[in-house]
Amino acid sequence: MRIRLALLTACLSLAATALPAQAADATDAHLEGELSSGALYVMDVPASWNGTVLLYSHGYAPAGSPKRAQNTPSTAARDKLLAEGYALIGSSYATNGWAVTEAVPDQLATLDLFTQKFGAARRTLAWGTSYGGFVTSALAERHAGRFDGSLSMCGLVQGGVANWNSTLDPVFALRTLLAPGSGVRLAGFADQAEAVAAAETLTTKVDAAQQTPEGRARIALAAALHNIPGYNDASQTEPGPGDWKTAQSNQYAAVRGLLQRPAFSWRQEAESRAGGNPSWNTGVDYSSMLARSPLYKEVRELYKEAGLSLRTDLSALGRAPRVSADPSAVRWMRNTSVFSGRLSDPQLNIHTTGDALIPVQSESAYRRAATASGAAGLLRQAYVDAPGHCTFTPGETLAALHTLEHRLDTGRWDTSPGALNSRAKAEDPKTEPRYLPYRPSAYPRPYDLAHPGDARP
């Protein structure tokens, strides 16, 4: 009798351990909860799970905003993927802001919890959008053993130091040319209030400048240093060839957005984590940078129309006192937020060509790192002809995901625009896909771990 009771107890124990996986086989499962870090998680597992789990990393959420777990870029993508049998998981991050030190472990903890509840996946893919694309590449480089492949969508794949350097350049030009002697601080903020006040002061100067031809030309120069495209929002009028007035007006809207959020408020939050200012423009030649920009012709023509000397303004930028970095802050950013390009598994990156927030040139920066590290064969990049940040259709998003899976299944990349558009059309027959042949220009100031020379500010 005691032996029979012991056997019965053991069987009941095994049944309880297996229950979550059995429940997932019987019906769709939706789980929400909180990790020990305080991050929230969400999991959707279809009854007919195909064995693949997709770990989604969401985009940037400003410090102080509510935490929200997310496991897909959109409701339409979620519904389609669940119908196709994928398990979808993702977390918020323990804190919002420049939270890479929390985001990576929180996402790994979410994956651990999924495995505990539903069993090991046959295939595990990391994917994410915007700042989440940055988190995705961090997961792929630093925790390759946990993933079979990754998909970064409109990702901040230039890394943290390059991002904050490139964000500094346009505001330095605006202050120098539109608010000389104003004392507007561009970095090293004491607190959020100081950053917001600086943003408001410079925005007022930019708004006034937009009313004159001279001011508009200078705003276009600042936009060119950040590679802000002349068509960056679907609500805008698309400029034709040589329509510099419309292009500049569109860039002005994006410049205002840069001032209101990333260049000051978001920078201050990142500085608070890094322990100081992690960016600099000492030694930067803005004349050379502008000459390499795809927007150089627009700037030149607007200066000509305004009767301004572009050479004189570039000389003013060359003479202006520069911003120096805090070495310890650069080290923190380098250790937490800079990429090596060392991929162990396939990664596909997609980007919209009209992105003003994370300009498409960021893809050139990551390609540079992957090439130097010997991983170019594992990386592919594809481009969608569209204005805006992360404005992919559900079909374009799913086409990229299935293209990554095709590479894993066959060992061959098939990332031609024709193949991607065909897959997108199959997923979303009512919407015309927009992948196109495209190669972005070089990122203005790349910084990665594969190039030792980048370490010197």
Side-chain angles (χ1 to χ4, degrees), residues 110-128:
T110 300
L111 181 58
D112 288 339
L113 185 61
F114 171 84
T115 303
Q116 175 187 328
K117 290 182 175 295
F118 297 98
R122 176 181 57 84
R123 175 178 286 171
T124 302
L125 303 179
W127 65 324

Side-chain angles (χ1 to χ4, degrees), residues 74-101:
S74 67
T75 300
R78 182 197 65 198
D79 294 346
K80 188 79 170 173
L81 288 168
L82 288 175
E84 294 175 4
Y86 295 88
L88 309 174
I89 66 174
S91 76
S92 70
Y93 312 137
T95 61
N96 286 330
W98 194 266
V100 63
T101 53

Side-chain angles (χ1 to χ4, degrees), residues 1 21 38 70 79 88 91-92 103 145 149 151 164 188 253 281 301 329 352 355 369 376 406 433 435-436:
M1 185 66 177
Q70 192 175 344
D79 294 346
L88 309 174
S91 76
S92 70
L151 170 61
W164 293 115
N281 67 350
E301 293 301 317
T352 46
D355 193 338
H406 179 269
Y435 283 99
L436 82 164

Side-chain angles (χ1 to χ4, degrees), residues 51-202:
T52 296
V53 59
L54 307 179
L55 177 66
Y56 179 74
S57 298
H58 70 71
Y60 187 88
S65 60
K67 289 184 289 187
R68 187 169 69 90
Q70 192 175 344
N71 60 3
T72 52
S74 67
T75 300
R78 182 197 65 198
D79 294 346
K80 188 79 170 173
L81 288 168
L82 288 175
E84 294 175 4
Y86 295 88
L88 309 174
I89 66 174
S91 76
S92 70
Y93 312 137
T95 61
N96 286 330
W98 194 266
V100 63
T101 53
E102 288 101 350
V104 169
D106 286 337
Q107 288 290 75
L108 293 174
T110 300
L111 181 58
D112 288 339
L113 185 61
F114 171 84
T115 303
Q116 175 187 328
K117 290 182 175 295
F118 297 98
R122 176 181 57 84
R123 175 178 286 171
T124 302
L125 303 179
W127 65 324
T129 48
S130 190
Y131 184 82
F134 165 77
V135 175
T136 294
S137 290
L139 289 166
E141 285 195 5
R142 301 172 193 170
H143 301 278
R146 305 293 303 274
F147 302 96
D148 298 290
S150 53
L151 170 61
S152 173
M153 298 173 284
C154 57
L156 198 144
V157 290
Q158 70 271 43
V161 170
N163 171 71
W164 293 115
N165 276 344
S166 194
T167 303
L168 174 64
D169 294 327
V171 294
F172 176 79
L174 291 170
R175 184 185 69 177
T176 301
L177 300 176
L178 302 181
S182 65
V184 172
R185 183 177 288 277
L186 304 181
F189 302 106
D191 52 31
Q192 189 67 198
E194 184 180 33
V196 171
E200 291 175 351
T201 299
L202 196 52

Side-chain angles (χ1 to χ4, degrees), residues 39-53:
L40 308 177
Y41 68 83
V42 59
M43 302 181 184
D44 286 295
V45 184
S48 54
W49 179 31
N50 63 14
T52 296
V53 59

